[in-house]
Amino acid sequence: MNQSGLLKYLLGRMARLILVVFGVTLLVFFLLRTVPGDPIRARYGIDTALSAEDYSALRKEYGLDKPVPIQYINWLQHVVQGDMGESILQRRDVAPLLWKSGKITLQVQTTSFVLALVFGIAAGCLAAVKAGTLVDRALSTIALAGVATPSYFLGILLILLFAVKLDWLPVTGWRPLIPDVKEGLRHLALPAITGALAGPLAVLLRYSRASLLEVLEQDYVRTARSKGLSTMVVTLRHAMPNASVLILSVAGLMFANILAGSVIIERLFSIPGMGRLVTEAVIQHDYPLVQGAVLVIAVVVVFVNTMVDLLYMVVDPRIRR
Amino acid sequence: MTSTSSLFESGIEAVHYRSALRQLRRAGRACLNPAALFVIVVVIGATFSGWLSGHGPNDQNLQARFAPPSREYFLGTDALGRDTFARILYGARISLATAISAALLSTFLGAILGLLAGYLGGVIDSVVSYVSDVVMAFPAIIFALFILSVFGSDMKNVIIALAVYGVPGAFRVVRGQVLVIREVEYVKASVSVGASPLRTAVRHVLPNSIAPLTVAVPLAMSGAVLAEAGLSFLGLGVRPPTPTWGGMLADGYAFIYDHPRLPIIPGIAVFLLVLSLNAIGDQVRAALSHRRS
């Protein structure tokens, strides 16, 4: 692919990215307004005597008196200017609320993702190199079990072992990494390990094993071996680059998966992250907060998928043509 | 249409359907193993739960709260003295019913949309692919949460939420397959002898897209079991007191210090069912790829 072709491709990807995010916000906006219930009533409670004038004044304050399409355009205009509005229930700006909880979710999920990536790919490669041996069979069995273990079950098992029986780690709760790094890591450990082990790590293990195994059977690898290169060099220098295309695509999918899993992990470990924030916001009809959160999540998911597509081209020069 | 062309065509068809049938038979043979047996046991347990358990799932025996496993209570009782074994059996009904309905519904809708989009292409393809991208960019649980808060939490709506979310996955599989099959000679032959697009799509393209779907159905079911239990764990699924495995996990989590059995038993149930369904999916896949090579 020449320079202008590449540019055109990138622009096309960007346009698609923006279109999908736009579609997601549109869907959320209209879905929210079909949900029976009303954020103003949710805020003041149904029993509280809220006079009809006060009620309509509040609706007007949040722009809820206008037709839904106009509300959407207003919201879009503000978002483009970096203003996501004010949470109706928490009466605070949406952006800092999301930033505060998003940071926590990002710490947990990134740690999970890195753990899954490193150990999943390493174990997958080990299983492929030792294909057919006891090591391979043990790892493949663990992977099969890992894919089938839901995070809410694995988390409970880990809590039982490390927090209840051994008393090494706290059961639930959250401490920031700064200033107390040690306490922070102790609180991060179980949720991050649960997020990695329940699914993503096992899926990455299976895919890396399968794709590396396929590559290892090819002629050029046999040639490399016959030159007398060590298994290590053959695997890492010759086979891995070709196996990494599939692994990469699965890794991108896993990131989105881990993000969706944060809702359960945060409930299980009582972590004040974005998954919990958005669940509560949907239940309480907090329109601006849900809209903001879903926008952020959709941007992250679509962005990661686009990055994965672009990374393909770096990893596999054939796709560039 | 002349008699030769219809003869020609029916000859091709027979091969297709026969090969599709052969694939299914092979897949069926691959299912005779522990995984399939476990699924059969769960189905029997769910069907005859009243007869097998001896206790109602919501019968409380406050004299026997947190009773350990015994002859009376095979898996012990929970905080309200309800029989865990009975609740597991009744919970299996919810898990199986949502899994089967959601998986079949999403696969069916996904297949139709995939066939349409892949075969017709153009604007229809662009629109359906775009909508499927949008749904996929939505976090699964939040999507389900929306649907459940719009229509209320009952089993029908849990099924709808999981099915709608599963459609894009099935859609992509079928669309990809259709794009390949569309270019194969026998399809071109069918078009060239004057068969209508509908006839070509239904009689030639569809039967040949069945293979990847037979792998997709058990996997969609295991995904639905996980998702349903996850929703119930969060308190968003089928409402209590109806027993669900996810709900039992969440209830039992509160007693993790003194009665770890309570969350572990339903957890094992989810784990084994998902493991079995995944194993069946893997075996079907292996049987099909064996056929291809």
Side-chain angles (χ1 to χ4, degrees), chain A residues 28 75 84 94 98 101 274-275 277-279 281-282 287-300, chain B residues 139 142:
Chain A
V28 174
W75 179 76
M84 292 202 220
V94 167
L98 288 179
S101 60
M274 207 148 105
L277 186 76
V278 71
T279 314
V282 174
Y287 298 166
L289 192 51
V290 179
Q291 283 154 207
V294 171
L295 173 67
V296 170
I297 294 170
V299 168
V300 172
Chain B
I142 296 171

Side-chain angles (χ1 to χ4, degrees), chain B residues 55 67 104 128 150 170 235:
Chain B
H55 295 274
L104 290 182
V128 181
V150 175

Side-chain angles (χ1 to χ4, degrees), chain A residues 16 19 23-24 28 32 35-36 144-145 147-150 152-153 156 159-160 171-172 206 263 267-268 278 282 290 297, chain B residues 130 133-134 137-139 142 145-146 149-150 226 229-230 233-234 249 253 256-257 260 264 267-268 271 274-275 278 282:
Chain A
R16 193 165 177 80
L19 259 175
V24 170
V28 174
L32 264 178
V35 176
L144 204 62
V147 177
T149 314
Y152 38 89
F153 180 42
I156 286 176
I159 288 173
L160 260 177
V171 177
T172 54
R206 297 183 78 185
V263 175
R267 166 70 71 91
L268 193 62
V278 71
V282 174
V290 179
I297 294 170
Chain B
Y130 171 64
D133 278 1
V134 168
F138 224 92
I142 296 171
L145 198 59
F146 266 117
S149 48
V150 175
L226 279 176
F233 175 78
L234 290 171
L249 248 158
Y253 184 39
I256 189 167
Y257 282 97
I264 287 182
I268 290 175
F271 170 71
V274 172
L275 187 70
N278 284 348
D282 281 355

